[in-house]
Each structure stands twice: as C-alpha cells, then as structure tokens.
Amino acid sequence: MAHPDDPELSSGGTIAQWTQEGNVHYIIVSCGEKGTWNRNALPFMVAETREKEARSAARFLGVKKVIFLRKPDGAVDAEGCLKIELAVLIRHLKPYTIVTNDPWYRMFHPDHRATGQAVIQAIMIARDWHFCLSLAEIGLKPHRPRELLLTPTDKATFINDITTTYAKKMKAIKRHKSQLKLLPHWEKRITRYVMDYGKRINVTYAEGFHKMRL
Ligand SMILES: [Zn+2]
C-alpha cells in the first residue's frame, strides 16, 4: 500500500484474521515523510518515525515482515521502476491474495492511485514468462496471485466481517501515534466506516474491498 498507516486504516481487522491462518507481508511504497503539520519537522525524521510506527502496528497484528520501498511521499510514480520492484517481490513472496489501494477510488491522495496502478502492472509482469526476462534469469519464476483486493473503494464487492478483530484494528491504528492528530475524530470516523460495512452484511463491524479474480 502507499503509506505506512494505509494497511491498518483500510484492512486492519482483516489482516488480524489472516495472520492467524498464514503469512502476511507488508510492502509500504512511501514512508509518508511529508505527513506532518509541523513546518520545522525534517522529512527524513518523519520517515523514520513512521517506519517505526508501521513496524510496531504490523508486529502487533502478527505480520511476518514489513518491506519499505521509500518512494517520495506525494510523488509516487506508477510508470517508473516501482512496478518492477513490486513484480520482483510478487515472484519472490508468491502471494495468494494482494491488497492495495483502489486506483479508481475518488480519493485525494495521488499516491493511492499511483500505487494501485503500479501493483496492477506488477501483477501482469509477475505472472507471465515473457515479461521482464531478467527475473527468470535470476531464478524468479512467474507467479500468478489468485485475487486482488482494492481498498478503500467505492465499489465494494467483498465485505469481510471483522467483529472479532475490530478492537485489534483500533489498537493497531493507535500505533501510528504521529498521525493521529492529523486524523481528527479518527476513532469515530473509522468506527462509522466499519459499522456502515457491517450493516450491509448484518454484522457489527466489517471492512469492504473491491475483489478481482486474477
Ligand atoms: Zn495513504
């Protein structure tokens, strides 16, 4: 996903379930070094803080590993080498499911669109022999993930009950301490968000994704 807090905000409850059943890896595209309202803060210090917070939240949820690609915050480029880096990691980690930002969601942050687009291109590169031939040459054989989940989205087609892991999601979000003041009333907003999805499947709390079979 694009930024260090994106996984927990969008899918923390689902991740807390998945880590009970298998391996979850995070790939964080940008460290979000511009994510501060303090004019005097140094971006590289913000990045360091946010990496630590992301590792802490991931550890709390039982995530196996967090990989930071350290692309510039606010200037993630879907057309550069990002898609190759992601393709390398897809062939290496061999995921069944990939979760990323929905590039078609009406959302302010351009990094979310760029990340979603780069992931989709990376899946193409990763799954067939004739893309990026150097990968096979170094032993990274094609891998075809089975499903892609896009979130946040305004076209949810897969709604996952997180009633049992809602509390864990909220605690994981709290690990992103430096970001909480940038998200006024976040507890209320996130709770409303997961309750709205919950209503759609008659449970208390849920997270929504646009699911694509690959
Ligand atoms: Zn984000």
Side-chain angles (χ1 to χ4, degrees):
M1 301 195 93
H3 305 113
D5 52 356
D6 290 345
E8 284 77 31
L9 287 169
S10 66
S11 343
T14 301
I15 293 163
Q17 292 169 352
W18 287 347
T19 55
Q20 302 298 308
E21 296 160 20
N23 292 331
V24 177
H25 292 84
Y26 280 5
I27 301 170
I28 307 291
V29 170
S30 164
C31 297
E33 67 275 10
K34 297 188 181 85
T36 177
W37 289 343
N38 176 3
R39 187 180 179 177
N40 299 317
L42 294 170
F44 62 86
M45 300 287 281
V46 177
E48 188 186 22
T49 301
R50 297 197 66 182
E51 283 197 14
K52 281 186 187 151
E53 290 171 348
R55 280 191 212 285
S56 167
R59 206 180 307 121
F60 177 71
L61 291 179
V63 170
K64 197 170 178 201
K65 192 174 184 186
V66 187
I67 299 162
F68 296 99
L69 299 182
R70 296 176 180 159
K71 302 299 176 199
D73 189 14
V76 172
D77 176 12
E79 298 306 319
C81 66
L82 174 59
K83 56 182 187 278
I84 307 293
E85 287 192 66
L86 293 168
V88 166
L89 290 168
I90 292 168
R91 287 194 182 193
H92 174 62
L93 297 169
K94 303 181 180 64
Y96 183 93
T97 302
I98 294 181
V99 183
T100 191
N101 308 87
D102 184 344
W104 297 285
Y105 179 47
R106 285 166 206 251
M107 204 277 179
F108 178 75
H109 212 302
D111 290 349
H112 286 217
R113 283 191 292 281
T115 298
Q117 293 291 0
V119 169
I120 288 164
Q121 292 186 62
I123 291 169
M124 283 276 295
I125 296 166
R127 72 184 185 179
D128 290 312
W129 282 108
H130 297 281
F131 285 91
C132 204
L133 295 169
S134 55
L135 301 186
E137 206 55 50
I138 58 165
L140 288 172
K141 289 182 187 150
H143 173 75
R144 186 176 286 254
R146 293 306 175 86
E147 56 184 25
L148 174 63
L149 301 180
L150 303 172
T151 182
T153 182
D154 39 27
K155 279 204 170 118
T157 54
F158 167 57
I159 297 171
N160 184 39
D161 179 4
I162 62 152
T163 307
T164 57
T165 51
Y166 161 77
K168 218 162 180 195
K169 172 188 175 85
M170 299 305 270
K171 278 188 191 159
I173 293 172
K174 277 189 191 152
R175 302 281 174 122
H176 297 279
K177 215 172 149 197
S178 71
Q179 299 304 298
L180 297 179
K181 49 186 175 293
L182 278 65
L183 301 161
H185 313 295
W186 70 270
E187 277 176 298
K188 228 188 238 172
R189 282 159 64 191
I190 299 290
T191 302
R192 198 183 309 134
Y193 174 82
V194 292
M195 279 180 83
D196 285 347
Y197 273 126
K199 274 183 202 140
R200 289 167 60 172
I201 55 165
N202 290 321
V203 300
T204 314
Y205 305 113
E207 287 169 338
F209 305 86
H210 185 83
K211 185 175 187 167
M212 294 170 105
R213 292 244 166 242
L214 301 173

